[in-house]
Amino acid sequence: AMKAQVQPFFHAGSNTFSYVVSDPNSGQAAIIDPVLDFDAASARTGTTSAQAIVDHISAQALQVQWILETHAHADHLSAAQWLKQRFPAARLAIGEGIRTVQATFAAVLDLGSGFRTDGSQFDHLFTDREEFKIGALPGRVISVPGHTSDSNAFLIGDALFPGDSLFMPDGGTARCDFPGGDAATLFRSIRRLFQLPEATRVFVCHDYGPNGREIACETSIGEQRAGNIHVHDGIDEATFVSLRTTRDATLNLPALILPSLQVNLRAGALPEPAGNGVRYLKLPLDRF
């Protein structure tokens, strides 16, 4: 497979990895899962992390063709709209399952009568197995529902971006207890990814440095199949579902799930200003 150039960016506040992936020959690039800084206590947004991506793209003289979201994240606000203003030629894309997620949360989050649940806030909605290009680099969409119903993995050249479906081998897999999540579905999604060549590089979306190890973002399909603590070869679906369901029952909701979804279901756009010119996020009381 053609080798992709991959530059990771770590957002410490949410333990998220964003990536700039580029075709070394043409300088065409994609941005994957960019983060808007957000301080919950003061409700202040910031663009320091997103600006680091812009600076890298400028320094390398890259041309951004795509801004890709692996799914509508529940633990950080997306910087996709802010970046799209800087790179107007880039197409902002997510999986077609976003329509289901929008429909699920629109009422609970009271996103307003004007809110559309057809995914049209994005420039493009990917279908499973859809192919795209970054310069001459081949890209392929692999639908990986289970964590959420809109989760996709992106295979770009020799590099796989699984979103939250797979963490580093010692971190296991993502939770499946959000609306639209399902552990058996995630198991089957991951088995699809495990059919890729063992040398395929895997770049994870989150890392929490389990057992005190250094934060890391890169592994391989071979390492995942041999050593992922939740889904290595030999673990069957029933065992995984039991482990995942038991573990999920102990987890708190992500600290930023309510602010994140209100922004990310709008493709990273902040809510429209109220009559006083201020933008507001809502907190539905006693609903979660």
Side-chain angles (χ1 to χ4, degrees):
M2 224 175 125
K3 197 164 172 76
Q5 199 155 335
V6 180
Q7 178 63 47
F9 297 83
F10 184 62
H11 184 258
S14 62
N15 288 80
T16 302
F17 277 100
S18 307
Y19 297 96
V20 172
V21 190
S22 57
D23 168 14
N25 298 319
S26 67
Q28 300 285 338
I31 301 168
I32 301 180
D33 292 332
V35 181
L36 188 71
D37 303 318
F38 181 69
D39 176 62
S42 62
R44 288 195 78 90
T45 61
T47 54
T48 307
S49 300
Q51 185 62 48
I53 291 175
V54 173
D55 292 347
H56 171 79
I57 286 161
S58 301
Q60 302 288 317
L62 302 175
Q63 290 171 287
V64 183
Q65 281 184 292
W66 291 97
I67 300 170
L68 303 174
E69 298 279 12
T70 53
H71 62 299
H73 305 273
D75 64 327
H76 67 264
L77 281 61
S78 169
Q81 288 298 330
W82 187 83
L83 286 163
K84 200 170 152 51
Q85 287 162 18
R86 273 132 200 93
F87 306 110
R91 298 176 74 198
L92 170 54
I94 199 167
E96 61 182 351
I98 188 65
R99 297 175 179 135
T100 308
V101 183
Q102 288 173 329
T104 300
F105 285 104
V108 177
L109 295 172
D110 189 31
L111 295 176
S113 56
F115 180 76
R116 302 179 307 281
T117 57
D118 60 0
S120 59
Q121 300 86 346
F122 296 83
D123 298 322
H124 185 73
L125 299 183
F126 283 123
T127 57
D128 185 30
R129 296 187 173 86
E130 186 172 343
E131 297 185 350
F132 62 99
K133 281 262 183 5
I134 299 167
L137 270 180
R140 179 155 54 96
V141 178
I142 305 171
S143 177
V144 287
H147 168 58
T148 61
S149 48
D150 65 331
S151 290
N152 276 329
F154 298 113
L155 180 65
I156 300 172
D158 67 327
L160 180 75
F161 300 86
D164 285 359
S165 303
L166 280 171
F167 295 148
M168 294 294 288
D170 61 349
T173 54
R175 64 196 297 167
C176 297
D177 59 335
F178 295 156
D182 180 72
T185 303
L186 180 62
F187 181 85
R188 290 167 205 164
S189 293
I190 290 170
R191 295 312 305 181
R192 267 189 89 182
L193 298 180
F194 282 4
Q195 289 164 17
L196 293 169
E198 293 206 351
T200 306
R201 295 183 290 160
V202 177
F203 292 92
V204 300
C205 186
H206 293 287
D207 189 55
Y208 303 94
N211 304 311
R213 73 149 162 76
E214 294 272 300
I215 296 285
C217 67
E218 182 180 350
T219 175
S220 70
I221 290 293
E223 288 172 5
Q224 293 282 16
R225 288 183 55 180
N228 186 292
I229 58 170
H230 295 164
V231 287
H232 62 73
D233 286 350
I235 291 183
D236 65 13
E237 185 176 308
T239 306
F240 173 76
V241 169
S242 166
L243 177 157
R244 190 66 262 170
T245 310
T246 304
R247 184 168 160 74
D248 287 350
T250 70
L251 300 175
N252 293 322
L253 279 180
L256 297 183
I257 185 169
L258 296 169
S260 296
L261 286 175
Q262 289 172 72
V263 169
N264 297 345
L265 295 179
R266 294 180 169 101
L270 298 175
E272 288 299 308
N276 62 359
V278 180
R279 298 175 194 270
Y280 289 88
L281 291 168
K282 299 173 179 172
L283 297 175
L285 299 178
D286 303 321
R287 282 304 306 271
F288 288 96

PDB file of all heavy atoms in Angstrom, residues 250-284:
ATOM      1  N   THR A 250     -19.725   0.655  34.696  1.00  0.00           N
ATOM      2  CA  THR A 250     -18.950   1.345  35.741  1.00  0.00           C
ATOM      3  C   THR A 250     -18.487   2.734  35.307  1.00  0.00           C
ATOM      4  O   THR A 250     -17.928   3.479  36.121  1.00  0.00           O
ATOM      5  CB  THR A 250     -17.689   0.529  36.101  1.00  0.00           C
ATOM      6  OG1 THR A 250     -16.760   0.579  34.993  1.00  0.00           O
ATOM      7  CG2 THR A 250     -18.021  -0.919  36.408  1.00  0.00           C
ATOM      8  N   LEU A 251     -18.689   3.102  34.043  1.00  0.00           N
ATOM      9  CA  LEU A 251     -18.107   4.347  33.520  1.00  0.00           C
ATOM     10  C   LEU A 251     -19.037   5.540  33.734  1.00  0.00           C
ATOM     11  O   LEU A 251     -20.250   5.433  33.576  1.00  0.00           O
ATOM     12  CB  LEU A 251     -17.820   4.204  32.021  1.00  0.00           C
ATOM     13  CG  LEU A 251     -16.836   3.099  31.619  1.00  0.00           C
ATOM     14  CD1 LEU A 251     -16.740   3.005  30.095  1.00  0.00           C
ATOM     15  CD2 LEU A 251     -15.457   3.333  32.223  1.00  0.00           C
ATOM     16  N   ASN A 252     -18.441   6.681  34.072  1.00  0.00           N
ATOM     17  CA  ASN A 252     -19.198   7.934  34.103  1.00  0.00           C
ATOM     18  C   ASN A 252     -19.394   8.445  32.677  1.00  0.00           C
ATOM     19  O   ASN A 252     -18.636   8.089  31.775  1.00  0.00           O
ATOM     20  CB  ASN A 252     -18.438   8.999  34.902  1.00  0.00           C
ATOM     21  CG  ASN A 252     -18.349   8.650  36.379  1.00  0.00           C
ATOM     22  OD1 ASN A 252     -19.301   8.116  36.952  1.00  0.00           O
ATOM     23  ND2 ASN A 252     -17.218   8.939  36.990  1.00  0.00           N
ATOM     24  N   LEU A 253     -20.385   9.324  32.489  1.00  0.00           N
ATOM     25  CA  LEU A 253     -20.519   9.992  31.201  1.00  0.00           C
ATOM     26  C   LEU A 253     -19.290  10.865  30.973  1.00  0.00           C
ATOM     27  O   LEU A 253     -18.734  11.418  31.923  1.00  0.00           O
ATOM     28  CB  LEU A 253     -21.768  10.883  31.180  1.00  0.00           C
ATOM     29  CG  LEU A 253     -23.110  10.198  30.906  1.00  0.00           C
ATOM     30  CD1 LEU A 253     -24.221  11.226  30.930  1.00  0.00           C
ATOM     31  CD2 LEU A 253     -23.090   9.478  29.565  1.00  0.00           C
ATOM     32  N   PRO A 254     -18.850  11.039  29.708  1.00  0.00           N
ATOM     33  CA  PRO A 254     -17.747  11.969  29.440  1.00  0.00           C
ATOM     34  C   PRO A 254     -18.110  13.366  29.941  1.00  0.00           C
ATOM     35  O   PRO A 254     -19.258  13.795  29.820  1.00  0.00           O
ATOM     36  CB  PRO A 254     -17.620  11.955  27.924  1.00  0.00           C
ATOM     37  CG  PRO A 254     -18.274  10.698  27.477  1.00  0.00           C
ATOM     38  CD  PRO A 254     -19.344  10.394  28.486  1.00  0.00           C
ATOM     39  N   ALA A 255     -17.120  14.059  30.509  1.00  0.00           N
ATOM     40  CA  ALA A 255     -17.363  15.369  31.133  1.00  0.00           C
ATOM     41  C   ALA A 255     -18.020  16.349  30.162  1.00  0.00           C
ATOM     42  O   ALA A 255     -18.838  17.168  30.569  1.00  0.00           O
ATOM     43  CB  ALA A 255     -16.050  15.938  31.658  1.00  0.00           C
ATOM     44  N   LEU A 256     -17.661  16.254  28.882  1.00  0.00           N
ATOM     45  CA  LEU A 256     -18.145  17.262  27.922  1.00  0.00           C
ATOM     46  C   LEU A 256     -19.208  16.728  26.961  1.00  0.00           C
ATOM     47  O   LEU A 256     -19.447  17.339  25.914  1.00  0.00           O
ATOM     48  CB  LEU A 256     -16.963  17.828  27.124  1.00  0.00           C
ATOM     49  CG  LEU A 256     -15.904  18.592  27.921  1.00  0.00           C
ATOM     50  CD1 LEU A 256     -14.833  19.145  26.984  1.00  0.00           C
ATOM     51  CD2 LEU A 256     -16.536  19.721  28.725  1.00  0.00           C
ATOM     52  N   ILE A 257     -19.867  15.631  27.307  1.00  0.00           N
ATOM     53  CA  ILE A 257     -20.799  15.032  26.334  1.00  0.00           C
ATOM     54  C   ILE A 257     -21.893  16.009  25.901  1.00  0.00           C
ATOM     55  O   ILE A 257     -22.201  16.116  24.708  1.00  0.00           O
ATOM     56  CB  ILE A 257     -21.408  13.696  26.845  1.00  0.00           C
ATOM     57  CG1 ILE A 257     -22.283  13.044  25.759  1.00  0.00           C
ATOM     58  CG2 ILE A 257     -22.169  13.870  28.146  1.00  0.00           C
ATOM     59  CD1 ILE A 257     -22.716  11.616  26.060  1.00  0.00           C
ATOM     60  N   LEU A 258     -22.477  16.773  26.822  1.00  0.00           N
ATOM     61  CA  LEU A 258     -23.601  17.651  26.455  1.00  0.00           C
ATOM     62  C   LEU A 258     -23.144  18.835  25.604  1.00  0.00           C
ATOM     63  O   LEU A 258     -23.712  19.083  24.534  1.00  0.00           O
ATOM     64  CB  LEU A 258     -24.372  18.079  27.703  1.00  0.00           C
ATOM     65  CG  LEU A 258     -25.033  16.887  28.426  1.00  0.00           C
ATOM     66  CD1 LEU A 258     -25.569  17.299  29.795  1.00  0.00           C
ATOM     67  CD2 LEU A 258     -26.151  16.311  27.578  1.00  0.00           C
ATOM     68  N   PRO A 259     -22.103  19.570  26.011  1.00  0.00           N
ATOM     69  CA  PRO A 259     -21.592  20.618  25.107  1.00  0.00           C
ATOM     70  C   PRO A 259     -21.110  20.051  23.771  1.00  0.00           C
ATOM     71  O   PRO A 259     -21.401  20.619  22.711  1.00  0.00           O
ATOM     72  CB  PRO A 259     -20.427  21.244  25.881  1.00  0.00           C
ATOM     73  CG  PRO A 259     -20.624  20.852  27.294  1.00  0.00           C
ATOM     74  CD  PRO A 259     -21.404  19.577  27.305  1.00  0.00           C
ATOM     75  N   SER A 260     -20.402  18.916  23.813  1.00  0.00           N
ATOM     76  CA  SER A 260     -19.821  18.363  22.580  1.00  0.00           C
ATOM     77  C   SER A 260     -20.891  18.041  21.554  1.00  0.00           C
ATOM     78  O   SER A 260     -20.789  18.424  20.380  1.00  0.00           O
ATOM     79  CB  SER A 260     -19.018  17.094  22.882  1.00  0.00           C
ATOM     80  OG  SER A 260     -17.916  17.373  23.692  1.00  0.00           O
ATOM     81  N   LEU A 261     -21.921  17.318  21.975  1.00  0.00           N
ATOM     82  CA  LEU A 261     -22.929  16.893  21.004  1.00  0.00           C
ATOM     83  C   LEU A 261     -23.664  18.086  20.406  1.00  0.00           C
ATOM     84  O   LEU A 261     -23.974  18.093  19.207  1.00  0.00           O
ATOM     85  CB  LEU A 261     -23.904  15.909  21.644  1.00  0.00           C
ATOM     86  CG  LEU A 261     -23.325  14.509  21.881  1.00  0.00           C
ATOM     87  CD1 LEU A 261     -24.331  13.646  22.637  1.00  0.00           C
ATOM     88  CD2 LEU A 261     -22.932  13.830  20.574  1.00  0.00           C
ATOM     89  N   GLN A 262     -23.933  19.109  21.218  1.00  0.00           N
ATOM     90  CA  GLN A 262     -24.654  20.271  20.683  1.00  0.00           C
ATOM     91  C   GLN A 262     -23.867  20.954  19.565  1.00  0.00           C
ATOM     92  O   GLN A 262     -24.450  21.510  18.627  1.00  0.00           O
ATOM     93  CB  GLN A 262     -24.959  21.276  21.801  1.00  0.00           C
ATOM     94  CG  GLN A 262     -26.027  20.769  22.749  1.00  0.00           C
ATOM     95  CD  GLN A 262     -26.192  21.663  23.961  1.00  0.00           C
ATOM     96  OE1 GLN A 262     -26.724  22.766  23.853  1.00  0.00           O
ATOM     97  NE2 GLN A 262     -25.749  21.192  25.103  1.00  0.00           N
ATOM     98  N   VAL A 263     -22.557  20.917  19.661  1.00  0.00           N
ATOM     99  CA  VAL A 263     -21.704  21.526  18.632  1.00  0.00           C
ATOM    100  C   VAL A 263     -21.443  20.533  17.494  1.00  0.00           C
ATOM    101  O   VAL A 263     -21.539  20.872  16.319  1.00  0.00           O
ATOM    102  CB  VAL A 263     -20.388  22.014  19.273  1.00  0.00           C
ATOM    103  CG1 VAL A 263     -19.365  22.416  18.213  1.00  0.00           C
ATOM    104  CG2 VAL A 263     -20.681  23.183  20.217  1.00  0.00           C
ATOM    105  N   ASN A 264     -21.121  19.282  17.842  1.00  0.00           N
ATOM    106  CA  ASN A 264     -20.683  18.324  16.828  1.00  0.00           C
ATOM    107  C   ASN A 264     -21.815  17.834  15.935  1.00  0.00           C
ATOM    108  O   ASN A 264     -21.582  17.490  14.768  1.00  0.00           O
ATOM    109  CB  ASN A 264     -19.964  17.158  17.502  1.00  0.00           C
ATOM    110  CG  ASN A 264     -18.702  17.631  18.219  1.00  0.00           C
ATOM    111  OD1 ASN A 264     -18.229  18.740  17.980  1.00  0.00           O
ATOM    112  ND2 ASN A 264     -18.170  16.801  19.108  1.00  0.00           N
ATOM    113  N   LEU A 265     -23.048  17.818  16.443  1.00  0.00           N
ATOM    114  CA  LEU A 265     -24.180  17.462  15.585  1.00  0.00           C
ATOM    115  C   LEU A 265     -24.467  18.573  14.576  1.00  0.00           C
ATOM    116  O   LEU A 265     -25.152  18.361  13.579  1.00  0.00           O
ATOM    117  CB  LEU A 265     -25.430  17.178  16.418  1.00  0.00           C
ATOM    118  CG  LEU A 265     -25.326  15.953  17.334  1.00  0.00           C
ATOM    119  CD1 LEU A 265     -26.603  15.776  18.142  1.00  0.00           C
ATOM    120  CD2 LEU A 265     -25.026  14.689  16.538  1.00  0.00           C
ATOM    121  N   ARG A 266     -23.921  19.768  14.847  1.00  0.00           N
ATOM    122  CA  ARG A 266     -24.006  20.894  13.898  1.00  0.00           C
ATOM    123  C   ARG A 266     -22.729  20.975  13.050  1.00  0.00           C
ATOM    124  O   ARG A 266     -22.408  22.025  12.513  1.00  0.00           O
ATOM    125  CB  ARG A 266     -24.179  22.206  14.652  1.00  0.00           C
ATOM    126  CG  ARG A 266     -25.496  22.368  15.413  1.00  0.00           C
ATOM    127  CD  ARG A 266     -25.528  23.734  16.120  1.00  0.00           C
ATOM    128  NE  ARG A 266     -26.845  24.070  16.640  1.00  0.00           N
ATOM    129  CZ  ARG A 266     -27.211  23.957  17.927  1.00  0.00           C
ATOM    130  NH1 ARG A 266     -26.360  23.513  18.835  1.00  0.00           N
ATOM    131  NH2 ARG A 266     -28.430  24.291  18.309  1.00  0.00           N
ATOM    132  N   ALA A 267     -21.985  19.887  12.977  1.00  0.00           N
ATOM    133  CA  ALA A 267     -20.746  19.834  12.184  1.00  0.00           C
ATOM    134  C   ALA A 267     -19.685  20.793  12.716  1.00  0.00           C
ATOM    135  O   ALA A 267     -18.874  21.322  11.958  1.00  0.00           O
ATOM    136  CB  ALA A 267     -21.030  20.116  10.701  1.00  0.00           C
ATOM    137  N   GLY A 268     -19.698  21.012  14.043  1.00  0.00           N
ATOM    138  CA  GLY A 268     -18.687  21.879  14.656  1.00  0.00           C
ATOM    139  C   GLY A 268     -19.082  23.342  14.698  1.00  0.00           C
ATOM    140  O   GLY A 268     -18.289  24.182  15.123  1.00  0.00           O
ATOM    141  N   ALA A 269     -20.305  23.654  14.261  1.00  0.00           N
ATOM    142  CA  ALA A 269     -20.772  25.048  14.340  1.00  0.00           C
ATOM    143  C   ALA A 269     -21.297  25.321  15.748  1.00  0.00           C
ATOM    144  O   ALA A 269     -21.951  24.464  16.350  1.00  0.00           O
ATOM    145  CB  ALA A 269     -21.874  25.296  13.318  1.00  0.00           C
ATOM    146  N   LEU A 270     -21.013  26.513  16.280  1.00  0.00           N
ATOM    147  CA  LEU A 270     -21.564  26.903  17.577  1.00  0.00           C
ATOM    148  C   LEU A 270     -23.034  27.295  17.376  1.00  0.00           C
ATOM    149  O   LEU A 270     -23.428  27.692  16.278  1.00  0.00           O
ATOM    150  CB  LEU A 270     -20.761  28.075  18.149  1.00  0.00           C
ATOM    151  CG  LEU A 270     -19.279  27.773  18.418  1.00  0.00           C
ATOM    152  CD1 LEU A 270     -18.546  29.030  18.877  1.00  0.00           C
ATOM    153  CD2 LEU A 270     -19.121  26.665  19.456  1.00  0.00           C
ATOM    154  N   PRO A 271     -23.855  27.192  18.442  1.00  0.00           N
ATOM    155  CA  PRO A 271     -25.266  27.580  18.294  1.00  0.00           C
ATOM    156  C   PRO A 271     -25.391  29.039  17.858  1.00  0.00           C
ATOM    157  O   PRO A 271     -24.514  29.860  18.138  1.00  0.00           O
ATOM    158  CB  PRO A 271     -25.826  27.384  19.708  1.00  0.00           C
ATOM    159  CG  PRO A 271     -24.887  26.448  20.380  1.00  0.00           C
ATOM    160  CD  PRO A 271     -23.538  26.703  19.778  1.00  0.00           C
ATOM    161  N   GLU A 272     -26.482  29.350  17.189  1.00  0.00           N
ATOM    162  CA  GLU A 272     -26.738  30.732  16.761  1.00  0.00           C
ATOM    163  C   GLU A 272     -26.838  31.646  17.991  1.00  0.00           C
ATOM    164  O   GLU A 272     -27.332  31.213  19.033  1.00  0.00           O
ATOM    165  CB  GLU A 272     -28.057  30.802  15.975  1.00  0.00           C
ATOM    166  CG  GLU A 272     -27.981  30.183  14.587  1.00  0.00           C
ATOM    167  CD  GLU A 272     -26.969  30.878  13.694  1.00  0.00           C
ATOM    168  OE1 GLU A 272     -27.027  32.122  13.571  1.00  0.00           O
ATOM    169  OE2 GLU A 272     -26.098  30.186  13.140  1.00  0.00           O
ATOM    170  N   PRO A 273     -26.402  32.903  17.871  1.00  0.00           N
ATOM    171  CA  PRO A 273     -26.504  33.815  19.020  1.00  0.00           C
ATOM    172  C   PRO A 273     -27.963  34.043  19.412  1.00  0.00           C
ATOM    173  O   PRO A 273     -28.853  34.051  18.562  1.00  0.00           O
ATOM    174  CB  PRO A 273     -25.882  35.118  18.506  1.00  0.00           C
ATOM    175  CG  PRO A 273     -25.073  34.736  17.311  1.00  0.00           C
ATOM    176  CD  PRO A 273     -25.747  33.535  16.724  1.00  0.00           C
ATOM    177  N   ALA A 274     -28.178  34.224  20.713  1.00  0.00           N
ATOM    178  CA  ALA A 274     -29.500  34.609  21.204  1.00  0.00           C
ATOM    179  C   ALA A 274     -29.731  36.091  20.899  1.00  0.00           C
ATOM    180  O   ALA A 274     -28.864  36.765  20.330  1.00  0.00           O
ATOM    181  CB  ALA A 274     -29.585  34.339  22.706  1.00  0.00           C
ATOM    182  N   GLY A 275     -30.897  36.624  21.322  1.00  0.00           N
ATOM    183  CA  GLY A 275     -31.241  38.024  21.047  1.00  0.00           C
ATOM    184  C   GLY A 275     -30.224  39.018  21.571  1.00  0.00           C
ATOM    185  O   GLY A 275     -30.061  40.111  21.020  1.00  0.00           O
ATOM    186  N   ASN A 276     -29.493  38.633  22.641  1.00  0.00           N
ATOM    187  CA  ASN A 276     -28.494  39.542  23.222  1.00  0.00           C
ATOM    188  C   ASN A 276     -27.117  39.395  22.577  1.00  0.00           C
ATOM    189  O   ASN A 276     -26.138  39.975  23.052  1.00  0.00           O
ATOM    190  CB  ASN A 276     -28.400  39.304  24.731  1.00  0.00           C
ATOM    191  CG  ASN A 276     -27.948  37.891  25.064  1.00  0.00           C
ATOM    192  OD1 ASN A 276     -27.728  37.091  24.162  1.00  0.00           O
ATOM    193  ND2 ASN A 276     -27.813  37.592  26.348  1.00  0.00           N
ATOM    194  N   GLY A 277     -27.031  38.586  21.510  1.00  0.00           N
ATOM    195  CA  GLY A 277     -25.763  38.434  20.807  1.00  0.00           C
ATOM    196  C   GLY A 277     -24.847  37.368  21.389  1.00  0.00           C
ATOM    197  O   GLY A 277     -23.778  37.103  20.849  1.00  0.00           O
ATOM    198  N   VAL A 278     -25.258  36.732  22.495  1.00  0.00           N
ATOM    199  CA  VAL A 278     -24.429  35.702  23.137  1.00  0.00           C
ATOM    200  C   VAL A 278     -24.879  34.321  22.657  1.00  0.00           C
ATOM    201  O   VAL A 278     -26.077  34.082  22.474  1.00  0.00           O
ATOM    202  CB  VAL A 278     -24.564  35.789  24.678  1.00  0.00           C
ATOM    203  CG1 VAL A 278     -23.708  34.728  25.364  1.00  0.00           C
ATOM    204  CG2 VAL A 278     -24.174  37.183  25.172  1.00  0.00           C
ATOM    205  N   ARG A 279     -23.929  33.413  22.440  1.00  0.00           N
ATOM    206  CA  ARG A 279     -24.252  32.028  22.085  1.00  0.00           C
ATOM    207  C   ARG A 279     -24.381  31.218  23.376  1.00  0.00           C
ATOM    208  O   ARG A 279     -23.571  31.371  24.289  1.00  0.00           O
ATOM    209  CB  ARG A 279     -23.150  31.430  21.208  1.00  0.00           C
ATOM    210  CG  ARG A 279     -22.978  32.155  19.881  1.00  0.00           C
ATOM    211  CD  ARG A 279     -21.783  31.594  19.109  1.00  0.00           C
ATOM    212  NE  ARG A 279     -21.417  32.480  18.004  1.00  0.00           N
ATOM    213  CZ  ARG A 279     -21.908  32.390  16.776  1.00  0.00           C
ATOM    214  NH1 ARG A 279     -22.803  31.454  16.495  1.00  0.00           N
ATOM    215  NH2 ARG A 279     -21.531  33.222  15.835  1.00  0.00           N
ATOM    216  N   TYR A 280     -25.349  30.314  23.435  1.00  0.00           N
ATOM    217  CA  TYR A 280     -25.571  29.507  24.629  1.00  0.00           C
ATOM    218  C   TYR A 280     -25.590  28.016  24.310  1.00  0.00           C
ATOM    219  O   TYR A 280     -26.140  27.600  23.288  1.00  0.00           O
ATOM    220  CB  TYR A 280     -26.926  29.868  25.274  1.00  0.00           C
ATOM    221  CG  TYR A 280     -26.944  31.233  25.923  1.00  0.00           C
ATOM    222  CD1 TYR A 280     -27.275  32.378  25.184  1.00  0.00           C
ATOM    223  CD2 TYR A 280     -26.622  31.392  27.272  1.00  0.00           C
ATOM    224  CE1 TYR A 280     -27.294  33.619  25.758  1.00  0.00           C
ATOM    225  CE2 TYR A 280     -26.629  32.641  27.859  1.00  0.00           C
ATOM    226  CZ  TYR A 280     -26.967  33.759  27.108  1.00  0.00           C
ATOM    227  OH  TYR A 280     -26.980  35.006  27.685  1.00  0.00           O
ATOM    228  N   LEU A 281     -25.010  27.221  25.208  1.00  0.00           N
ATOM    229  CA  LEU A 281     -25.197  25.782  25.197  1.00  0.00           C
ATOM    230  C   LEU A 281     -26.190  25.446  26.302  1.00  0.00           C
ATOM    231  O   LEU A 281     -26.231  26.127  27.337  1.00  0.00           O
ATOM    232  CB  LEU A 281     -23.869  25.057  25.431  1.00  0.00           C
ATOM    233  CG  LEU A 281     -22.855  25.172  24.287  1.00  0.00           C
ATOM    234  CD1 LEU A 281     -21.494  24.678  24.735  1.00  0.00           C
ATOM    235  CD2 LEU A 281     -23.320  24.399  23.065  1.00  0.00           C
ATOM    236  N   LYS A 282     -26.981  24.384  26.103  1.00  0.00           N
ATOM    237  CA  LYS A 282     -27.999  24.015  27.076  1.00  0.00           C
ATOM    238  C   LYS A 282     -27.581  22.791  27.864  1.00  0.00           C
ATOM    239  O   LYS A 282     -26.884  21.922  27.334  1.00  0.00           O
ATOM    240  CB  LYS A 282     -29.322  23.721  26.348  1.00  0.00           C
ATOM    241  CG  LYS A 282     -29.878  24.904  25.580  1.00  0.00           C
ATOM    242  CD  LYS A 282     -31.082  24.485  24.755  1.00  0.00           C
ATOM    243  CE  LYS A 282     -31.648  25.680  24.010  1.00  0.00           C
ATOM    244  NZ  LYS A 282     -32.687  25.282  23.056  1.00  0.00           N
ATOM    245  N   LEU A 283     -28.040  22.699  29.103  1.00  0.00           N
ATOM    246  CA  LEU A 283     -27.819  21.506  29.930  1.00  0.00           C
ATOM    247  C   LEU A 283     -29.180  20.933  30.297  1.00  0.00           C
ATOM    248  O   LEU A 283     -29.893  21.501  31.127  1.00  0.00           O
ATOM    249  CB  LEU A 283     -27.055  21.879  31.204  1.00  0.00           C
ATOM    250  CG  LEU A 283     -25.649  22.440  31.025  1.00  0.00           C
ATOM    251  CD1 LEU A 283     -25.073  22.864  32.366  1.00  0.00           C
ATOM    252  CD2 LEU A 283     -24.740  21.415  30.364  1.00  0.00           C
ATOM    253  N   PRO A 284     -29.577  19.823  29.671  1.00  0.00           N
ATOM    254  CA  PRO A 284     -30.862  19.217  30.030  1.00  0.00           C
ATOM    255  C   PRO A 284     -30.759  18.579  31.424  1.00  0.00           C
ATOM    256  O   PRO A 284     -29.972  17.661  31.615  1.00  0.00           O
ATOM    257  CB  PRO A 284     -31.093  18.180  28.944  1.00  0.00           C
ATOM    258  CG  PRO A 284     -29.762  17.908  28.352  1.00  0.00           C
ATOM    259  CD  PRO A 284     -28.889  19.094  28.592  1.00  0.00           C
TER     260      PRO A 284
END
